[in-house]
Amino acid sequence: MAKSKGKAPNLSPRIDNRRARFDYALSDKLECGIQLRGTEVKSIRHGQVSLAEGYVDVNDKTMELWLHNVEIAPYTHAAEHHQHAPKRSRKLLAHKREIAKLIGATSGKGVTIVPIAMYFKHGKVKVEVAVAAGKKQFDKRQDLKKKQSDRDIQRAMTRKVI
């Protein structure tokens, strides 16, 4: 019998926005497609993306999502005239009912939509966005304390008792 070929491991990077997870309380998540140029895709494959300052703007009239302030570094092996602008606005692709749901979730004060991850799925670039509400300073301190205590517990469990 011939061996069945399993799926090849995905060698493309997953770019996470750890800053958003620290600064915001994240709720409704949505996976969107994104309109890119060829050199942008190649830069993303090399992991040359910064999501830290990024945010998503919703156009109510046309029901479109736009990703702003995300830097995708220029691809080094492309010709000068094929390069893209690193911080240009990019259109996100989602269904109108999903966009309407996001509009309803962001109607409150202090609520926005931020990109939390960028990755490849079946050869296409996907952006995961989430509705985000800003955390207060004491919430951030509590998260750091919890993270530190989880580390201490993990260390204590891995030590051998003699």
Side-chain angles (χ1 to χ4, degrees):
M1 292 194 140
K3 284 187 178 179
S4 64
K5 293 183 181 179
K7 285 190 175 183
N10 190 2
L11 301 176
S12 300
R14 177 182 169 94
I15 297 106
D16 283 319
N17 188 354
R18 296 186 308 170
R19 190 78 214 167
R21 294 183 194 279
F22 180 73
D23 286 339
Y24 299 104
L26 303 175
S27 59
D28 300 333
K29 293 181 182 178
L30 175 66
E31 181 183 81
C32 301
I34 184 169
Q35 283 185 349
L36 296 172
R37 297 194 176 136
T39 55
E40 291 174 323
V41 175
K42 290 179 181 185
S43 289
I44 293 170
R45 280 214 190 271
H46 285 86
Q48 299 176 338
V49 180
S50 173
L51 296 174
E53 302 89 28
Y55 65 95
V56 177
D57 185 29
V58 181
N59 188 341
D60 296 339
K61 293 178 182 130
T62 59
M63 296 294 279
E64 293 178 343
L65 295 175
W66 288 89
L67 182 65
H68 298 283
N69 219 20
V70 169
E71 183 172 359
I72 299 176
Y75 184 60
T76 55
H77 300 297
E80 187 79 23
H81 61 280
H82 288 299
Q83 285 296 347
H84 60 274
K87 283 202 173 188
R88 72 179 185 92
S89 297
R90 296 164 180 94
K91 186 178 179 181
L92 295 178
L93 309 172
H95 293 286
K96 289 188 181 190
R97 67 178 178 277
E98 295 170 334
I99 296 171
K101 194 172 161 184
L102 288 178
I103 290 171
T106 59
S107 60
K109 187 175 179 183
V111 181
T112 187
I113 305 171
V114 294
I116 55 174
M118 187 178 284
Y119 52 90
F120 282 87
K121 185 174 181 181
H122 304 295
K124 306 230 186 308
V125 179
K126 301 292 181 179
V127 178
E128 188 174 5
V129 297
V131 175
K135 284 185 184 177
K136 302 289 183 201
Q137 188 66 33
F138 65 87
D139 291 333
K140 293 178 188 178
R141 282 194 291 261
Q142 285 178 340
D143 287 347
L144 287 175
K145 286 180 186 177
K146 183 179 182 316
K147 191 174 180 181
Q148 184 63 36
S149 66
D150 289 345
R151 280 188 196 145
D152 292 341
I153 290 169
Q154 189 64 31
R155 279 190 204 119
M157 292 180 71
T158 57
R159 291 187 188 137
K160 293 182 180 178
V161 179
I162 299 175

